[in-house]
Structures are given as C-alpha cells and as structure tokens.
Amino acid sequence: MAGRVALAAFAALLAAFLVLPVLAVVPAAFSARSFIRLPPEAWSVRWWGTFFGDPSWRRALLKSVEVAVLATLVAVPLGTAAALGLARLRGIVRRLALALFVGPVVVPVIVLAVALYAVARSAGLVGTTAALVLGHAMLALPYVALNVGVSLAALDPALGRAAAGLGASSWRLFRTVTLPLILPGVVGGAVFAFVTSFDEVVLSVFLAGPSAKTLPVRIWEEIRVEYTPVVAVAATFMMALAILAAASFRLLRRRRA
Amino acid sequence: MLDRLAGRLGPAALLLPAVALLAVVFVLPLLRLLELSFSDPAGAATPYVELLHDPIYRKVFAATAWVAVAVTAITVLLGYPFALALARAPLRWRVILFACVLTPLWISVLVRTFSWMLLLETNGPVNRLLVAGGIVERPLALLFNQTGVLIGMVHVLLPYAVLPIYAALVRVDPALLRASEGLGASPARTFLRVLLPLSMPGVATGGAFVFLLSLGFFITPALLGGASSITLSMLIDGFVNERLVWPLAAAASMILLAATLAFLAMAARFVAPAAVAEVR
C-alpha cells in the first residue's frame, strides 16, 4: 500500500517535471521590463505589441506560415500516394522502401542540415523559400506516410473487392471508398506535417540565409546572444499553436477509433 | 481516360513522387556530403585521420558518448517507475498522465529548451528556490555546462523511454503476476522475478530510442551547454558556420551518421526503424 502511494506520488512529480517547465515562457512573455526575470516584477503586454508590430518578427511569422503551408501541400499528397503504394508492396522491396522512408527520421538532423546546405549553396538556393519547403517536406513525409498507413491498415479489404466487383475503376474506388475512409489519417498527417515544418529549427538555421528567416530561426538567433521578452512572446505563440495542433490531432484520432 | 490511367497506377507509380523527393532532398545531399568528406586537398583521408587522432576531437567524441549514455540511463531509471504507475493508474488518471507525456512532444524543442534557459539562470527561479530553501548557499552553475545539457535532454527525451516501457508493461499477462503471488511470492519478489524480466524488451527499446536520439542531438546541447561540453553535433556546426572547413564538417557528419547507423543495426532487435517515427 505504501509502495502504491509512493509510486503515485513519484508519477505526479514526474508528470509535473514534464509539463510545468515549458510554461516558464508564458509569464516571461508578459514582463514589463526589457529583460526576463521569473516571475516578472511588473506585468505588461507591451512585448506582444512588439512581436506583432515589429516588421522583422512579423516577416518571420509570415514566412513560417508560408513555408509550413507549402511543405504540407507537398508532403501530404506525396506521403498519401506513397502509403497507398507501400501497402501494396511485399517482401524485400517493401522493406527497402520503408528503410528509405524512415531515413529522414533516423539520420541526425544536423547531418541532414549540413548535407542540404552544401547542395543548396552550390545550387544558389540558400535563403530561398523553395529550399526550406523541400527540406521540411522531406522531414514531414515519413509522418504523413505513417499516419495514412495506419488508417489504410484498418481498412476492410472486402470493401475494395466489393467496389471492384461492382465494376468501379481504381480511381473511382480510391475517390469514393478509400479516400473518405482514410481521410482522418490524411488530415492527421497534414496537421503533423504543418507542425513539423512550423517547429523546425536546424535545417532552417542552415538554409534560411538572411532572406528567408522563419520564426524558429529568429528565436534561435536571438537567444544565442542577448534576448528581450519578445522572444518569450514568440515562444509562447509557438507553444499555443502546438497545443492547438495536438488537441485537433487527438480529436481526429478519436473519430478514427 | 483518367480511369484507365489510374487503373494502371501500380505501387511503383504511387511511390514515384515521394521517392523522387527523397532522392533529390535526402539521398543526393548525403552522397554529396560523403564526397565532400574526401575532398581535402591535403589528402582524401586527412579529415578522418585528424578527427580520429587529435585529442581535442577525441574529447568531443567521448563527451558525446558520455552524454548519450548518461541521458539514456537517467531517462530509463525515471521512466520505468513512471510507466509502471501509468500502467496501474485508474483510467481517468491514466488519461491525464498520458497527456503529460504526449503533449510536450508537440512543442518545439527550441521552446522547451528556451524555458530551461529561463529557469536555470544564475538568478533564475530554480536557483532562488534552492537558496531560499537553504539547500545551497550560493546559486549553482546550472547553465552552459553539462548539468544544463543533462537536465534539458532528459526533459526532452523522457517520453521516448516511457512509451515503449509502458507498452511492454501492459503486454505482460496479469495472470502470471496473480500466479506468482498465489504461489506465495512477495510483491517485491513478483516484481523482480516476473514483471521486470518480462518488461525488459520495453526497457531495451526505450533505452535504444533515447540513445539514438541523444547521439545526434543539437539544439539542446548547443543552447544549454558550454565550451566545456561540446558534442559532435556542435562541433559539426562550428566547422560549417565558424571555421568554414567543409572537409572536416563533412567527415565529422559521416562519422556521426556511421555511429548512428551502426548503433541502429546493433539495436535492430529492439527497435524497428519505423517505430522511431511512430513514437512522435
């Protein structure tokens, strides 16, 4: 009994350790001073005004949204098609294809960043939106394929046979049977892809150059030197968006289950 | 027309666009990096020889391995009892605890690391609490050293240890535990002789995950660590952005990649590569 209580207390402590530290950026974002001290001695929303008013922060925010939307638009159709293809493969070919698809997740991101930077530099693509979009789409692709794959695996194959037996073509079968049923997986994959891109730091730091800085790149540059509470505002903003995405993802999963 | 075209779409056609993207943005750049690593004018293998022999770089390799081992050990030791509590919690608590494990994974590592920078400062809340509580006399140096790196990395990587251990624990047949207790074993003995051995595959998987992710971790060590705790990923960044030595940067990247793949091959028994993506 005492063991049970001790275990529960330990779990509560560790849960607090997992969740609470992240929240430190929230009070820091409402500081009235030009430096961060926790808890702030005086409160204000002035740094929120700075964040949304300052052209360089606003540009970074818009760039992040632009890149994340485009990367999602690239990764979702490619990842969905790939998941459909992977589901039909068997044996060694399937294992090879899977190995290629998890590659971007397994290879350390710093290695990917340096490799992409080397290629983008000689192609003159550093500092372009295209470089960021392609890099982020590559990182998001495995997650999309995986999410769609999970939905596909839950599909009843009899449905496909029935539709084919009734004379439906593959495209019609996909459009009227498969796609509606795997849609939660596709949308879940899209949420994932968007967040993967929006949160991405390392590839972006290497590829952004001076002209395509995203929000995480701006935060990264600020906190490596001296920072004001506006960084905490940016961090709070990113956190709020991430929690929103997590909640919507969970809703989608519930609907799928 | 479209129907007939689509009817012929085999797996190859479906995979082609994604494979093309990966070929251009993933495979090709890595091959280019491999080529760059042998491009030193002083001799093709020079960067590798330098990296593997210079005591400064060897210290970096040792520090990287040490951090990865320490983070793995700490996350498994903390994660096991947490996973056990999770498996035994009543449903409502389990939902809450699960949310505590999964939600942080959605928040950018950059934001989570920045939070620790604010908390661990010399005059930050953690130090003020320690001093006010009489635990230490003077504020501790918790930032820009190995302590900071360990705290930050354990915080970020703990969920990757908890989830596989939890999965292994709930797979254990409760009838086995009842049988052990029915035969007169104490709860401690039942844990040590039945539950712990049966959940070991989960520990191995979780540990392998954390170790794999630790090896190449960049953001957290770069922000919370200092000059005395340089890891391989920070070294690579320095080669590219400060010293502009491409052959060394490329060779160091290849060494990190080789170490990662070698570990993955060794750990393939515990970790299906696809599972790395699944956890997130």
Side-chain angles (χ1 to χ4, degrees), chain B residues 58-116:
Chain B
R58 289 171 84 149
K59 233 180 86 187
V60 172
F61 289 122
T64 309
W66 190 85
V67 167
V69 169
V71 170
T72 306
I74 298 170
T75 50
V76 167
L77 285 176
L78 292 175
Y80 194 96
F82 187 74
L84 193 62
L86 198 57
R88 290 184 173 169
L91 184 64
R92 197 205 304 170
W93 284 104
R94 200 181 307 168
V95 170
I96 295 172
L97 289 176
F98 248 112
C100 291
V101 176
L102 293 176
T103 312
L105 292 177
W106 285 84
I107 299 168
S108 169
V109 177
L110 182 64
V111 173
R112 285 183 271 168
T113 305
F114 179 54
S115 297
W116 281 112

Short mmCIF file of all heavy atoms in Angstrom, two decimals, chain B residues 58-116:
data_model
loop_
_atom_site.label_atom_id
_atom_site.label_comp_id
_atom_site.label_asym_id
_atom_site.label_seq_id
_atom_site.Cartn_x
_atom_site.Cartn_y
_atom_site.Cartn_z
N ARG B 58 38.91 13.87 -29.99
CA ARG B 58 38.59 12.64 -29.26
C ARG B 58 37.82 12.95 -27.99
O ARG B 58 36.95 12.20 -27.57
CB ARG B 58 39.87 11.87 -28.96
CG ARG B 58 40.45 11.26 -30.23
CD ARG B 58 41.81 10.70 -29.98
NE ARG B 58 41.72 9.34 -29.44
CZ ARG B 58 42.65 8.43 -29.69
NH1 ARG B 58 43.69 8.73 -30.44
NH2 ARG B 58 42.54 7.24 -29.18
N LYS B 59 38.16 14.09 -27.39
CA LYS B 59 37.41 14.51 -26.20
C LYS B 59 35.95 14.77 -26.54
O LYS B 59 35.04 14.46 -25.76
CB LYS B 59 38.05 15.77 -25.61
CG LYS B 59 38.39 15.64 -24.14
CD LYS B 59 39.01 16.91 -23.59
CE LYS B 59 37.97 17.90 -23.14
NZ LYS B 59 38.55 19.19 -22.75
N VAL B 60 35.74 15.36 -27.73
CA VAL B 60 34.36 15.63 -28.17
C VAL B 60 33.59 14.33 -28.36
O VAL B 60 32.45 14.19 -27.90
CB VAL B 60 34.35 16.46 -29.47
CG1 VAL B 60 32.94 16.58 -30.02
CG2 VAL B 60 34.95 17.84 -29.22
N PHE B 61 34.24 13.33 -29.01
CA PHE B 61 33.58 12.04 -29.19
C PHE B 61 33.22 11.44 -27.84
O PHE B 61 32.10 10.94 -27.63
CB PHE B 61 34.48 11.05 -29.94
CG PHE B 61 34.67 11.40 -31.39
CD1 PHE B 61 35.93 11.63 -31.92
CD2 PHE B 61 33.57 11.51 -32.24
CE1 PHE B 61 36.10 11.96 -33.25
CE2 PHE B 61 33.74 11.84 -33.57
CZ PHE B 61 35.01 12.07 -34.08
N ALA B 62 34.18 11.49 -26.91
CA ALA B 62 33.95 10.90 -25.59
C ALA B 62 32.79 11.62 -24.89
O ALA B 62 31.91 10.98 -24.31
CB ALA B 62 35.22 10.98 -24.74
N ALA B 63 32.78 12.96 -24.99
CA ALA B 63 31.71 13.73 -24.33
C ALA B 63 30.35 13.40 -24.93
O ALA B 63 29.36 13.24 -24.22
CB ALA B 63 31.99 15.23 -24.44
N THR B 64 30.31 13.25 -26.27
CA THR B 64 29.06 12.92 -26.94
C THR B 64 28.53 11.57 -26.46
O THR B 64 27.35 11.43 -26.11
CB THR B 64 29.26 12.87 -28.47
OG1 THR B 64 29.90 14.07 -28.88
CG2 THR B 64 27.95 12.70 -29.19
N ALA B 65 29.44 10.57 -26.42
CA ALA B 65 29.03 9.24 -25.98
C ALA B 65 28.60 9.28 -24.52
O ALA B 65 27.59 8.68 -24.13
CB ALA B 65 30.19 8.25 -26.17
N TRP B 66 29.36 10.03 -23.70
CA TRP B 66 29.04 10.08 -22.28
C TRP B 66 27.66 10.70 -22.05
O TRP B 66 26.87 10.17 -21.27
CB TRP B 66 30.11 10.88 -21.53
CG TRP B 66 29.94 10.74 -20.06
CD1 TRP B 66 30.43 9.74 -19.26
CD2 TRP B 66 29.19 11.62 -19.20
NE1 TRP B 66 30.01 9.94 -17.97
CE2 TRP B 66 29.26 11.07 -17.89
CE3 TRP B 66 28.46 12.78 -19.40
CZ2 TRP B 66 28.63 11.67 -16.81
CZ3 TRP B 66 27.82 13.37 -18.31
CH2 TRP B 66 27.92 12.82 -17.03
N VAL B 67 27.39 11.81 -22.72
CA VAL B 67 26.08 12.45 -22.57
C VAL B 67 24.97 11.49 -22.99
O VAL B 67 23.97 11.33 -22.30
CB VAL B 67 26.00 13.76 -23.40
CG1 VAL B 67 24.56 14.25 -23.50
CG2 VAL B 67 26.86 14.83 -22.77
N ALA B 68 25.19 10.79 -24.12
CA ALA B 68 24.15 9.87 -24.61
C ALA B 68 23.91 8.75 -23.60
O ALA B 68 22.76 8.40 -23.31
CB ALA B 68 24.56 9.29 -25.97
N VAL B 69 25.00 8.19 -23.03
CA VAL B 69 24.85 7.11 -22.05
C VAL B 69 24.16 7.63 -20.80
O VAL B 69 23.22 7.00 -20.28
CB VAL B 69 26.23 6.50 -21.70
CG1 VAL B 69 26.12 5.57 -20.50
CG2 VAL B 69 26.79 5.75 -22.90
N ALA B 70 24.59 8.80 -20.31
CA ALA B 70 24.01 9.34 -19.08
C ALA B 70 22.53 9.64 -19.27
O ALA B 70 21.70 9.30 -18.42
CB ALA B 70 24.77 10.60 -18.66
N VAL B 71 22.18 10.28 -20.39
CA VAL B 71 20.77 10.62 -20.64
C VAL B 71 19.94 9.35 -20.74
O VAL B 71 18.84 9.26 -20.19
CB VAL B 71 20.63 11.48 -21.91
CG1 VAL B 71 19.17 11.62 -22.31
CG2 VAL B 71 21.25 12.85 -21.70
N THR B 72 20.49 8.32 -21.42
CA THR B 72 19.77 7.06 -21.55
C THR B 72 19.52 6.44 -20.18
O THR B 72 18.40 6.03 -19.86
CB THR B 72 20.57 6.08 -22.44
OG1 THR B 72 20.87 6.71 -23.67
CG2 THR B 72 19.80 4.81 -22.69
N ALA B 73 20.58 6.38 -19.35
CA ALA B 73 20.44 5.77 -18.03
C ALA B 73 19.41 6.52 -17.19
O ALA B 73 18.52 5.91 -16.58
CB ALA B 73 21.80 5.75 -17.32
N ILE B 74 19.49 7.86 -17.19
CA ILE B 74 18.57 8.63 -16.34
C ILE B 74 17.13 8.49 -16.83
O ILE B 74 16.22 8.27 -16.04
CB ILE B 74 18.98 10.12 -16.31
CG1 ILE B 74 20.37 10.28 -15.70
CG2 ILE B 74 17.98 10.94 -15.50
CD1 ILE B 74 20.96 11.66 -15.84
N THR B 75 16.92 8.58 -18.14
CA THR B 75 15.53 8.51 -18.64
C THR B 75 14.94 7.12 -18.37
O THR B 75 13.76 7.01 -18.04
CB THR B 75 15.44 8.80 -20.16
OG1 THR B 75 16.38 7.99 -20.83
CG2 THR B 75 15.67 10.25 -20.48
N VAL B 76 15.75 6.06 -18.49
CA VAL B 76 15.21 4.73 -18.22
C VAL B 76 14.90 4.56 -16.73
O VAL B 76 13.84 4.06 -16.35
CB VAL B 76 16.18 3.63 -18.71
CG1 VAL B 76 15.78 2.26 -18.17
CG2 VAL B 76 16.20 3.60 -20.24
N LEU B 77 15.81 5.03 -15.87
CA LEU B 77 15.60 4.90 -14.43
C LEU B 77 14.38 5.70 -13.96
O LEU B 77 13.64 5.26 -13.08
CB LEU B 77 16.84 5.35 -13.66
CG LEU B 77 18.01 4.36 -13.68
CD1 LEU B 77 19.23 4.94 -12.98
CD2 LEU B 77 17.60 3.03 -13.04
N LEU B 78 14.17 6.88 -14.54
CA LEU B 78 12.99 7.67 -14.18
C LEU B 78 11.75 7.15 -14.90
O LEU B 78 10.65 7.14 -14.35
CB LEU B 78 13.19 9.15 -14.56
CG LEU B 78 14.22 9.95 -13.79
CD1 LEU B 78 14.35 11.35 -14.39
CD2 LEU B 78 13.84 10.05 -12.32
N GLY B 79 11.95 6.70 -16.13
CA GLY B 79 10.82 6.31 -16.97
C GLY B 79 10.18 5.01 -16.54
O GLY B 79 8.96 4.86 -16.67
N TYR B 80 10.98 4.08 -16.00
CA TYR B 80 10.40 2.79 -15.64
C TYR B 80 9.32 2.92 -14.56
O TYR B 80 8.18 2.50 -14.78
CB TYR B 80 11.49 1.79 -15.22
CG TYR B 80 10.94 0.38 -15.17
CD1 TYR B 80 11.08 -0.47 -16.25
CD2 TYR B 80 10.22 -0.08 -14.07
CE1 TYR B 80 10.54 -1.74 -16.24
CE2 TYR B 80 9.68 -1.35 -14.05
CZ TYR B 80 9.85 -2.19 -15.14
OH TYR B 80 9.30 -3.44 -15.12
N PRO B 81 9.65 3.50 -13.39
CA PRO B 81 8.58 3.62 -12.38
C PRO B 81 7.41 4.46 -12.87
O PRO B 81 6.26 4.19 -12.52
CB PRO B 81 9.28 4.29 -11.19
CG PRO B 81 10.62 4.69 -11.65
CD PRO B 81 10.95 3.95 -12.89
N PHE B 82 7.70 5.47 -13.71
CA PHE B 82 6.61 6.29 -14.23
C PHE B 82 5.69 5.44 -15.12
O PHE B 82 4.47 5.51 -15.00
CB PHE B 82 7.17 7.47 -15.02
CG PHE B 82 6.12 8.45 -15.45
CD1 PHE B 82 5.54 9.31 -14.54
CD2 PHE B 82 5.70 8.50 -16.77
CE1 PHE B 82 4.56 10.21 -14.94
CE2 PHE B 82 4.73 9.39 -17.18
CZ PHE B 82 4.16 10.25 -16.26
N ALA B 83 6.30 4.61 -15.98
CA ALA B 83 5.50 3.75 -16.86
C ALA B 83 4.69 2.76 -16.03
O ALA B 83 3.54 2.45 -16.35
CB ALA B 83 6.41 3.02 -17.84
N LEU B 84 5.30 2.29 -14.95
CA LEU B 84 4.61 1.34 -14.07
C LEU B 84 3.40 2.00 -13.43
O LEU B 84 2.29 1.44 -13.40
CB LEU B 84 5.58 0.86 -12.98
CG LEU B 84 5.16 -0.34 -12.15
CD1 LEU B 84 4.98 -1.57 -13.03
CD2 LEU B 84 6.20 -0.63 -11.08
N ALA B 85 3.58 3.23 -12.95
CA ALA B 85 2.46 3.97 -12.35
C ALA B 85 1.37 4.20 -13.40
O ALA B 85 0.18 4.08 -13.13
CB ALA B 85 2.96 5.30 -11.79
N LEU B 86 1.83 4.51 -14.62
CA LEU B 86 0.89 4.75 -15.73
C LEU B 86 0.06 3.49 -15.99
O LEU B 86 -1.17 3.55 -16.16
CB LEU B 86 1.72 5.12 -16.96
CG LEU B 86 1.07 5.82 -18.14
CD1 LEU B 86 0.42 7.11 -17.69
CD2 LEU B 86 2.12 6.11 -19.20
N ALA B 87 0.72 2.33 -16.01
CA ALA B 87 0.03 1.08 -16.31
C ALA B 87 -0.95 0.70 -15.21
O ALA B 87 -1.94 0.03 -15.47
CB ALA B 87 1.07 -0.04 -16.50
N ARG B 88 -0.67 1.13 -13.98
CA ARG B 88 -1.53 0.72 -12.86
C ARG B 88 -2.56 1.77 -12.49
O ARG B 88 -3.42 1.53 -11.66
CB ARG B 88 -0.66 0.43 -11.63
CG ARG B 88 0.15 -0.82 -11.83
CD ARG B 88 0.91 -1.16 -10.59
NE ARG B 88 1.56 -2.46 -10.74
CZ ARG B 88 2.45 -2.92 -9.90
NH1 ARG B 88 2.79 -2.20 -8.84
NH2 ARG B 88 3.00 -4.10 -10.10
N ALA B 89 -2.45 2.96 -13.10
CA ALA B 89 -3.35 4.05 -12.70
C ALA B 89 -4.77 3.75 -13.16
O ALA B 89 -4.97 3.11 -14.20
CB ALA B 89 -2.86 5.36 -13.31
N PRO B 90 -5.76 4.23 -12.39
CA PRO B 90 -7.14 4.14 -12.85
C PRO B 90 -7.30 4.94 -14.14
O PRO B 90 -6.56 5.90 -14.36
CB PRO B 90 -7.96 4.77 -11.72
CG PRO B 90 -7.02 5.09 -10.63
CD PRO B 90 -5.63 4.91 -11.12
N LEU B 91 -8.30 4.55 -14.95
CA LEU B 91 -8.40 5.09 -16.31
C LEU B 91 -8.30 6.61 -16.36
O LEU B 91 -7.58 7.17 -17.18
CB LEU B 91 -9.70 4.62 -16.95
CG LEU B 91 -9.84 5.07 -18.41
CD1 LEU B 91 -8.77 4.45 -19.28
CD2 LEU B 91 -11.22 4.75 -18.94
N ARG B 92 -9.03 7.30 -15.46
CA ARG B 92 -9.07 8.76 -15.55
C ARG B 92 -7.68 9.37 -15.36
O ARG B 92 -7.27 10.27 -16.06
CB ARG B 92 -10.04 9.32 -14.52
CG ARG B 92 -10.41 10.75 -14.88
CD ARG B 92 -10.85 11.58 -13.70
NE ARG B 92 -11.97 11.02 -12.96
CZ ARG B 92 -12.35 11.52 -11.78
NH1 ARG B 92 -11.72 12.54 -11.26
NH2 ARG B 92 -13.36 10.99 -11.14
N TRP B 93 -6.93 8.82 -14.39
CA TRP B 93 -5.58 9.31 -14.15
C TRP B 93 -4.65 8.95 -15.29
O TRP B 93 -3.74 9.70 -15.63
CB TRP B 93 -5.04 8.77 -12.83
CG TRP B 93 -5.63 9.48 -11.67
CD1 TRP B 93 -6.60 9.04 -10.83
CD2 TRP B 93 -5.33 10.82 -11.26
NE1 TRP B 93 -6.91 10.00 -9.92
CE2 TRP B 93 -6.15 11.10 -10.15
CE3 TRP B 93 -4.43 11.79 -11.71
CZ2 TRP B 93 -6.12 12.33 -9.50
CZ3 TRP B 93 -4.38 13.01 -11.06
CH2 TRP B 93 -5.23 13.27 -9.96
N ARG B 94 -4.90 7.77 -15.87
CA ARG B 94 -4.04 7.35 -16.97
C ARG B 94 -4.15 8.34 -18.13
O ARG B 94 -3.15 8.69 -18.76
CB ARG B 94 -4.43 5.94 -17.42
CG ARG B 94 -3.32 5.27 -18.19
CD ARG B 94 -3.70 3.90 -18.66
NE ARG B 94 -4.19 3.05 -17.58
CZ ARG B 94 -4.80 1.89 -17.77
NH1 ARG B 94 -5.00 1.47 -19.00
NH2 ARG B 94 -5.21 1.18 -16.76
N VAL B 95 -5.37 8.81 -18.39
CA VAL B 95 -5.58 9.76 -19.48
C VAL B 95 -4.78 11.05 -19.21
O VAL B 95 -4.08 11.57 -20.09
CB VAL B 95 -7.08 10.09 -19.64
CG1 VAL B 95 -7.27 11.25 -20.60
CG2 VAL B 95 -7.82 8.86 -20.13
N ILE B 96 -4.83 11.52 -17.96
CA ILE B 96 -4.13 12.76 -17.62
C ILE B 96 -2.62 12.57 -17.73
O ILE B 96 -1.90 13.38 -18.33
CB ILE B 96 -4.51 13.21 -16.19
CG1 ILE B 96 -6.00 13.58 -16.16
CG2 ILE B 96 -3.66 14.40 -15.75
CD1 ILE B 96 -6.54 13.85 -14.78
N LEU B 97 -2.12 11.44 -17.17
CA LEU B 97 -0.68 11.19 -17.21
C LEU B 97 -0.19 11.04 -18.65
O LEU B 97 0.89 11.53 -19.01
CB LEU B 97 -0.32 9.94 -16.40
CG LEU B 97 -0.44 10.05 -14.88
CD1 LEU B 97 -0.14 8.71 -14.21
CD2 LEU B 97 0.51 11.11 -14.34
N PHE B 98 -1.00 10.39 -19.46
CA PHE B 98 -0.64 10.22 -20.87
C PHE B 98 -0.53 11.57 -21.57
O PHE B 98 0.40 11.80 -22.35
CB PHE B 98 -1.67 9.35 -21.60
CG PHE B 98 -1.10 8.04 -22.02
CD1 PHE B 98 -1.53 6.85 -21.44
CD2 PHE B 98 -0.12 7.98 -22.99
CE1 PHE B 98 -0.99 5.65 -21.81
CE2 PHE B 98 0.43 6.78 -23.37
CZ PHE B 98 -0.01 5.61 -22.77
N ALA B 99 -1.48 12.45 -21.27
CA ALA B 99 -1.44 13.78 -21.87
C ALA B 99 -0.15 14.50 -21.46
O ALA B 99 0.48 15.20 -22.25
CB ALA B 99 -2.66 14.59 -21.46
N CYS B 100 0.29 14.27 -20.21
CA CYS B 100 1.53 14.90 -19.74
C CYS B 100 2.75 14.38 -20.49
O CYS B 100 3.74 15.08 -20.64
CB CYS B 100 1.73 14.65 -18.23
SG CYS B 100 0.54 15.50 -17.21
N VAL B 101 2.68 13.12 -20.93
CA VAL B 101 3.82 12.54 -21.66
C VAL B 101 3.79 12.99 -23.13
O VAL B 101 4.82 13.32 -23.71
CB VAL B 101 3.79 11.00 -21.60
CG1 VAL B 101 4.90 10.41 -22.44
CG2 VAL B 101 3.92 10.53 -20.15
N LEU B 102 2.58 13.01 -23.73
CA LEU B 102 2.49 13.21 -25.18
C LEU B 102 2.47 14.68 -25.60
O LEU B 102 3.04 15.04 -26.63
CB LEU B 102 1.24 12.51 -25.72
CG LEU B 102 1.28 10.98 -25.63
CD1 LEU B 102 -0.04 10.40 -26.09
CD2 LEU B 102 2.42 10.42 -26.45
N THR B 103 1.81 15.54 -24.80
CA THR B 103 1.68 16.93 -25.24
C THR B 103 3.04 17.63 -25.43
O THR B 103 3.22 18.32 -26.43
CB THR B 103 0.79 17.72 -24.26
OG1 THR B 103 -0.39 16.96 -24.04
CG2 THR B 103 0.42 19.07 -24.82
N PRO B 104 4.01 17.45 -24.49
CA PRO B 104 5.29 18.14 -24.72
C PRO B 104 5.94 17.77 -26.05
O PRO B 104 6.68 18.58 -26.62
CB PRO B 104 6.15 17.68 -23.54
CG PRO B 104 5.20 17.29 -22.48
CD PRO B 104 3.99 16.74 -23.20
N LEU B 105 5.66 16.55 -26.57
CA LEU B 105 6.28 16.14 -27.83
C LEU B 105 5.86 17.03 -28.99
O LEU B 105 6.54 17.10 -30.02
CB LEU B 105 5.93 14.69 -28.15
CG LEU B 105 6.52 13.63 -27.22
CD1 LEU B 105 6.04 12.25 -27.61
CD2 LEU B 105 8.04 13.67 -27.26
N TRP B 106 4.72 17.70 -28.85
CA TRP B 106 4.25 18.58 -29.93
C TRP B 106 4.92 19.95 -29.88
O TRP B 106 4.91 20.67 -30.87
CB TRP B 106 2.73 18.77 -29.81
CG TRP B 106 1.97 17.57 -30.26
CD1 TRP B 106 1.69 16.47 -29.52
CD2 TRP B 106 1.43 17.33 -31.56
NE1 TRP B 106 0.99 15.57 -30.28
CE2 TRP B 106 0.81 16.08 -31.53
CE3 TRP B 106 1.40 18.08 -32.74
CZ2 TRP B 106 0.17 15.54 -32.64
CZ3 TRP B 106 0.76 17.54 -33.85
CH2 TRP B 106 0.16 16.28 -33.79
N ILE B 107 5.43 20.30 -28.72
CA ILE B 107 6.00 21.64 -28.56
C ILE B 107 7.45 21.62 -29.04
O ILE B 107 8.21 20.72 -28.71
CB ILE B 107 5.90 22.08 -27.08
CG1 ILE B 107 4.42 22.11 -26.67
CG2 ILE B 107 6.55 23.43 -26.87
CD1 ILE B 107 4.20 22.23 -25.19
N SER B 108 7.81 22.61 -29.82
CA SER B 108 9.14 22.68 -30.41
C SER B 108 10.23 22.52 -29.35
O SER B 108 10.16 23.09 -28.27
CB SER B 108 9.30 24.04 -31.10
OG SER B 108 10.65 24.24 -31.45
N VAL B 109 11.25 21.71 -29.69
CA VAL B 109 12.38 21.52 -28.78
C VAL B 109 13.02 22.87 -28.45
O VAL B 109 13.51 23.10 -27.35
CB VAL B 109 13.42 20.57 -29.41
CG1 VAL B 109 14.63 20.42 -28.51
CG2 VAL B 109 12.82 19.21 -29.69
N LEU B 110 12.98 23.78 -29.41
CA LEU B 110 13.55 25.11 -29.19
C LEU B 110 12.84 25.83 -28.05
O LEU B 110 13.47 26.42 -27.18
CB LEU B 110 13.43 25.92 -30.48
CG LEU B 110 14.03 27.32 -30.47
CD1 LEU B 110 15.53 27.28 -30.28
CD2 LEU B 110 13.68 28.07 -31.74
N VAL B 111 11.51 25.76 -28.04
CA VAL B 111 10.73 26.42 -26.99
C VAL B 111 10.99 25.76 -25.64
O VAL B 111 11.21 26.44 -24.63
CB VAL B 111 9.22 26.37 -27.33
CG1 VAL B 111 8.39 26.91 -26.18
CG2 VAL B 111 8.94 27.15 -28.61
N ARG B 112 11.02 24.42 -25.64
CA ARG B 112 11.25 23.72 -24.38
C ARG B 112 12.64 24.05 -23.83
O ARG B 112 12.82 24.22 -22.63
CB ARG B 112 11.10 22.21 -24.59
CG ARG B 112 9.63 21.81 -24.73
CD ARG B 112 9.47 20.32 -24.87
NE ARG B 112 9.54 19.88 -26.25
CZ ARG B 112 9.65 18.61 -26.61
NH1 ARG B 112 9.76 17.69 -25.69
NH2 ARG B 112 9.67 18.27 -27.89
N THR B 113 13.63 24.12 -24.73
CA THR B 113 14.99 24.42 -24.28
C THR B 113 15.10 25.86 -23.78
O THR B 113 15.76 26.13 -22.78
CB THR B 113 15.98 24.18 -25.44
OG1 THR B 113 15.80 22.84 -25.91
CG2 THR B 113 17.40 24.35 -24.98
N PHE B 114 14.42 26.78 -24.47
CA PHE B 114 14.43 28.18 -24.05
C PHE B 114 13.85 28.31 -22.63
O PHE B 114 14.36 29.08 -21.81
CB PHE B 114 13.65 29.03 -25.06
CG PHE B 114 13.58 30.48 -24.70
CD1 PHE B 114 14.73 31.21 -24.45
CD2 PHE B 114 12.35 31.13 -24.61
CE1 PHE B 114 14.67 32.56 -24.11
CE2 PHE B 114 12.28 32.48 -24.29
CZ PHE B 114 13.44 33.19 -24.03
N SER B 115 12.78 27.55 -22.35
CA SER B 115 12.21 27.57 -21.00
C SER B 115 13.27 27.21 -19.95
O SER B 115 13.36 27.86 -18.91
CB SER B 115 11.07 26.56 -20.88
OG SER B 115 10.04 26.89 -21.73
N TRP B 116 14.05 26.19 -20.26
CA TRP B 116 15.10 25.79 -19.29
C TRP B 116 16.14 26.89 -19.14
O TRP B 116 16.70 27.07 -18.06
CB TRP B 116 15.74 24.47 -19.69
CG TRP B 116 14.89 23.30 -19.33
CD1 TRP B 116 14.24 22.45 -20.18
CD2 TRP B 116 14.56 22.85 -18.00
NE1 TRP B 116 13.53 21.51 -19.47
CE2 TRP B 116 13.71 21.73 -18.14
CE3 TRP B 116 14.88 23.29 -16.71
CZ2 TRP B 116 13.19 21.05 -17.03
CZ3 TRP B 116 14.36 22.62 -15.62
CH2 TRP B 116 13.53 21.51 -15.79
#
